[in-house]
Amino acid sequence: MSEKKLLAIHGSPHPNGTTDAMLKIAIAAAQRAGFYIERIDLYQEKLDYCNGCLACLRTGSCVKQDSIHKIEASLKSCDMVILAAPVFWANVPAAVKNLFDRLYGTAMEETDTFPKPRLSHKQKYILLTSCNTPFPFSWLCGQSRGALHAMNEFFHTAGMRCQGKFVCTNNKHKKMPSAHMRRRIERCFL
């Protein structure tokens, strides 16, 4: 039996913030569950902006030559992906949005009706996000909801299945998720 592969994507410019702490919890739980882990820190990668040429829709891959090809290969070959990204203005940070733009043709192909997924329904994804806004305002005002929607839309459209979505709120003065949040994230790997 081959080892299960998990792609962990850190989409925050802060290497030791709450989002990173959430990702480290998930990675540790995945390792205990027998996953091989590949971690990608988006802010450390060379990723040019999408130029909207749409060549990727024909080829399934971006024509630009940078880190996107490593990420494409990892995304296509993983059993599970975790995307950890903080909330920036009720959405994902620019580096994460750029990743979605650059993976457009890798994730889906356009049809006359609905997009056709290019990734496997056997692949799963987990979404982790954090914001400074306290609950319930983080949800009611659309802060964390907007970021989760953007992340979920990408993976769902790509054909993957959701394993869990987690929001750590009111993070202005804390860097670690609560024990309750830790247990919820770890349960995804039991």
Side-chain angles (χ1 to χ4, degrees):
M1 185 169 139
S2 64
E3 191 173 38
K4 300 175 286 185
K5 180 181 173 190
L6 182 135
L7 175 60
I9 302 173
H10 184 236
S12 173
H14 306 293
N16 294 307
T18 307
T19 307
D20 185 56
M22 294 172 76
L23 184 59
K24 287 175 180 171
I25 290 166
I27 287 172
Q31 286 173 325
R32 287 191 299 274
F35 279 88
Y36 164 78
I37 311 297
E38 179 184 0
R39 179 177 167 140
I40 293 175
D41 290 281
L42 285 183
Y43 282 86
Q44 304 300 314
E45 297 294 328
K46 168 79 169 98
L47 287 173
D48 290 334
Y49 290 108
C50 176
N51 62 11
C53 70
L54 301 180
C56 61
L57 290 175
R58 291 187 309 280
T59 65
S61 182
C62 185
V63 297
K64 290 188 171 192
Q65 298 302 312
D66 59 17
S67 294
I68 199 64
H69 298 287
K70 173 181 76 170
I71 297 170
E72 285 174 346
S74 296
L75 183 59
K76 288 176 183 178
S77 67
C78 73
D79 298 290
M80 182 182 286
V81 62
I82 299 173
L83 175 58
V87 174
F88 282 19
W89 284 102
N91 209 322
V92 293
V96 176
K97 174 61 169 81
N98 186 49
L99 177 70
F100 294 161
D101 291 345
R102 294 290 306 281
L103 291 172
Y104 185 51
T106 301
M108 58 163 265
E109 63 182 86
E110 288 184 336
T111 68
D112 290 334
T113 54
F114 296 102
K116 182 179 175 186
R118 284 192 168 153
L119 297 176
S120 173
H121 71 279
K122 294 179 182 177
Q123 293 174 292
K124 297 176 183 176
Y125 63 93
I126 295 173
L127 306 177
L128 307 173
T129 191
S130 62
C131 68
N132 288 338
T133 309
F135 185 82
F137 305 108
S138 61
W139 189 258
L140 294 173
C141 298
Q143 295 297 304
S144 54
R145 190 170 23 136
L148 280 177
H149 175 74
M151 292 188 287
N152 190 67
E153 186 67 20
F154 173 81
F155 291 108
H156 176 75
T157 301
M160 299 173 79
R161 292 183 298 133
C162 185
Q163 181 78 8
K165 301 175 193 174
F166 303 93
V167 179
C168 204
T169 61
N170 201 21
N171 293 312
K172 188 172 185 177
H173 300 294
K174 63 181 178 180
K175 294 292 181 205
M176 288 301 295
S178 68
H180 175 69
M181 176 65 68
R182 174 185 288 274
R183 286 190 302 274
R184 288 183 56 223
I185 292 170
E186 290 172 340
R187 274 195 291 256
C188 288
F189 299 96
L190 297 179

